[in-house]
Amino acid sequence: MSSTAFTVIGHRGARGHAPENTLLGIDTGIALGAPWVEFDVQLHPSGALLVFHDLTLDRTTNGSGFLADQPLAALRALDAGAGQIIPTLQEVLDLVDQRVGVNIELKSAGGTAEAVAAVIRSYVGAGWPVDKFLVSSFHLPELWEFKQLVPEIPIGALLCGVPLDWAGCALELGAATLNLSSEFVDPRLIADAHAHGIKVYVYTVNDVAEMRLLRGMGVDGVFTDHPDRALALC
Ligand code: G3P
Ligand code: MG
């Protein structure tokens, strides 16, 4: 047991246990004890916010081709694994019902920030605490737009590399967290984030020895397909 907080975030729900980005996957992450679940959100041309990772349907559903090319009704008729449908953001939030924190990753741009901001505003209006949300993106301009729309919602800057100005982008965005790829964890990046009061989370970590190592480096939490493994370290 350790006294330092280590945040366990179920990746795409709990991808090692149930189909990713589905209601079953999210519920499985919660059942395994993850205090946070992460999932990916895309704005469909219909205006729906769909919880889905890839641009194409082939890997995770019985459909094929680009998600954006299919009508919403056809997408909603697909099997996303174990008979699950592709859920909407609202369906996931209703399922979670404040039981855990939700990390909403903005996968698309061009209106996604605005649409997600509107949904979050309505859930906050209905009683959700702002600190139950963490909105993140690799698309930092989209994340910037989100932060301007709802500054009270914490955001996380996603990186897959080591920037020249270390944690500078997270600082400029007013981000609460810097979410780093496990391939690009650098002690200087962690130190710079911490020096500015920004937490560091690392994705996607499934190996227990790697979790231990990262924790020893001062990392504040991990995204994992196996929340049970990370929780055993807490
Ligand atoms: O947010 C952490 C992680 O989900 C980012 O990568 O590709 O799994 O969405 P990806
Ligand atoms: Mg993601």
Side-chain angles (χ1 to χ4, degrees), residues 41-50 72 76 88-90 115:
V41 168
Q42 301 188 34
L43 180 62
H44 184 260
S46 64
L49 287 164
L50 296 176
L72 183 60
R76 297 277 281 168
T88 63
L89 171 60
Q90 292 90 330

Short mmCIF file of all heavy atoms in Angstrom, two decimals, residues 41-50 72 76 88-90 115:
data_model
loop_
_atom_site.label_atom_id
_atom_site.label_comp_id
_atom_site.label_asym_id
_atom_site.label_seq_id
_atom_site.Cartn_x
_atom_site.Cartn_y
_atom_site.Cartn_z
N VAL A 41 -14.86 10.04 -28.18
CA VAL A 41 -16.11 10.59 -28.71
C VAL A 41 -15.85 11.25 -30.07
O VAL A 41 -14.88 11.98 -30.25
CB VAL A 41 -16.72 11.61 -27.72
CG1 VAL A 41 -17.84 12.40 -28.36
CG2 VAL A 41 -17.24 10.88 -26.49
N GLN A 42 -16.74 10.95 -31.01
CA GLN A 42 -16.66 11.56 -32.34
C GLN A 42 -18.00 12.21 -32.67
O GLN A 42 -19.06 11.66 -32.36
CB GLN A 42 -16.40 10.50 -33.41
CG GLN A 42 -15.13 9.73 -33.20
CD GLN A 42 -14.81 8.83 -34.38
OE1 GLN A 42 -15.10 9.17 -35.53
NE2 GLN A 42 -14.21 7.68 -34.11
N LEU A 43 -17.91 13.36 -33.31
CA LEU A 43 -19.12 14.03 -33.79
C LEU A 43 -19.47 13.48 -35.17
O LEU A 43 -18.71 13.62 -36.12
CB LEU A 43 -18.88 15.55 -33.86
CG LEU A 43 -20.06 16.39 -34.35
CD1 LEU A 43 -21.26 16.27 -33.41
CD2 LEU A 43 -19.63 17.85 -34.52
N HIS A 44 -20.65 12.82 -35.25
CA HIS A 44 -21.12 12.26 -36.52
C HIS A 44 -21.80 13.39 -37.31
O HIS A 44 -22.34 14.33 -36.71
CB HIS A 44 -22.11 11.12 -36.20
CG HIS A 44 -22.61 10.41 -37.40
ND1 HIS A 44 -23.84 10.68 -37.96
CD2 HIS A 44 -22.04 9.45 -38.17
CE1 HIS A 44 -24.00 9.90 -39.03
NE2 HIS A 44 -22.93 9.14 -39.16
N PRO A 45 -21.77 13.32 -38.66
CA PRO A 45 -22.42 14.39 -39.46
C PRO A 45 -23.88 14.62 -39.08
O PRO A 45 -24.41 15.73 -39.30
CB PRO A 45 -22.30 13.87 -40.90
CG PRO A 45 -21.08 13.00 -40.88
CD PRO A 45 -21.03 12.37 -39.51
N SER A 46 -24.56 13.63 -38.51
CA SER A 46 -25.96 13.80 -38.09
C SER A 46 -26.08 14.72 -36.87
O SER A 46 -27.18 15.15 -36.52
CB SER A 46 -26.54 12.44 -37.69
OG SER A 46 -25.85 11.93 -36.55
N GLY A 47 -24.95 14.99 -36.22
CA GLY A 47 -24.98 15.79 -35.00
C GLY A 47 -24.87 14.94 -33.74
O GLY A 47 -24.68 15.47 -32.64
N ALA A 48 -24.97 13.61 -33.90
CA ALA A 48 -24.85 12.72 -32.75
C ALA A 48 -23.39 12.64 -32.29
O ALA A 48 -22.47 12.68 -33.12
CB ALA A 48 -25.34 11.32 -33.12
N LEU A 49 -23.23 12.52 -30.99
CA LEU A 49 -21.89 12.30 -30.43
C LEU A 49 -21.75 10.82 -30.13
O LEU A 49 -22.41 10.29 -29.23
CB LEU A 49 -21.71 13.14 -29.16
CG LEU A 49 -21.52 14.63 -29.41
CD1 LEU A 49 -21.74 15.44 -28.14
CD2 LEU A 49 -20.14 14.92 -30.01
N LEU A 50 -20.94 10.14 -30.93
CA LEU A 50 -20.81 8.69 -30.81
C LEU A 50 -19.54 8.32 -30.07
O LEU A 50 -18.48 8.94 -30.27
CB LEU A 50 -20.81 8.05 -32.21
CG LEU A 50 -22.12 8.23 -32.99
CD1 LEU A 50 -21.98 7.65 -34.40
CD2 LEU A 50 -23.29 7.56 -32.26
N LEU A 72 -26.78 7.48 -39.38
CA LEU A 72 -26.80 7.17 -37.95
C LEU A 72 -27.57 5.87 -37.67
O LEU A 72 -27.13 5.04 -36.87
CB LEU A 72 -27.40 8.34 -37.17
CG LEU A 72 -27.43 8.19 -35.66
CD1 LEU A 72 -26.02 8.03 -35.07
CD2 LEU A 72 -28.14 9.38 -35.02
N ARG A 76 -26.16 2.56 -35.69
CA ARG A 76 -26.77 2.13 -34.43
C ARG A 76 -27.28 0.69 -34.51
O ARG A 76 -27.61 0.08 -33.50
CB ARG A 76 -27.90 3.08 -34.05
CG ARG A 76 -27.38 4.51 -33.81
CD ARG A 76 -26.83 4.73 -32.44
NE ARG A 76 -27.92 4.93 -31.51
CZ ARG A 76 -27.79 4.91 -30.20
NH1 ARG A 76 -26.60 4.69 -29.66
NH2 ARG A 76 -28.81 5.11 -29.42
N THR A 88 -24.10 6.50 -27.64
CA THR A 88 -23.91 7.96 -27.69
C THR A 88 -23.26 8.41 -26.38
O THR A 88 -23.29 7.69 -25.37
CB THR A 88 -25.26 8.69 -27.85
OG1 THR A 88 -26.06 8.42 -26.69
CG2 THR A 88 -25.99 8.27 -29.10
N LEU A 89 -22.73 9.62 -26.42
CA LEU A 89 -22.15 10.20 -25.20
C LEU A 89 -23.20 10.25 -24.09
O LEU A 89 -22.92 9.90 -22.93
CB LEU A 89 -21.62 11.62 -25.50
CG LEU A 89 -21.18 12.44 -24.29
CD1 LEU A 89 -20.04 11.75 -23.53
CD2 LEU A 89 -20.75 13.85 -24.72
N GLN A 90 -24.41 10.65 -24.44
CA GLN A 90 -25.45 10.78 -23.42
C GLN A 90 -25.79 9.41 -22.81
O GLN A 90 -26.03 9.32 -21.60
CB GLN A 90 -26.71 11.41 -24.03
CG GLN A 90 -26.52 12.88 -24.43
CD GLN A 90 -26.04 13.06 -25.87
OE1 GLN A 90 -25.33 12.20 -26.41
NE2 GLN A 90 -26.40 14.17 -26.48
N ALA A 115 -20.23 20.72 -29.31
CA ALA A 115 -21.29 19.75 -29.03
C ALA A 115 -21.09 19.08 -27.67
O ALA A 115 -22.05 18.91 -26.91
CB ALA A 115 -21.33 18.70 -30.15
#
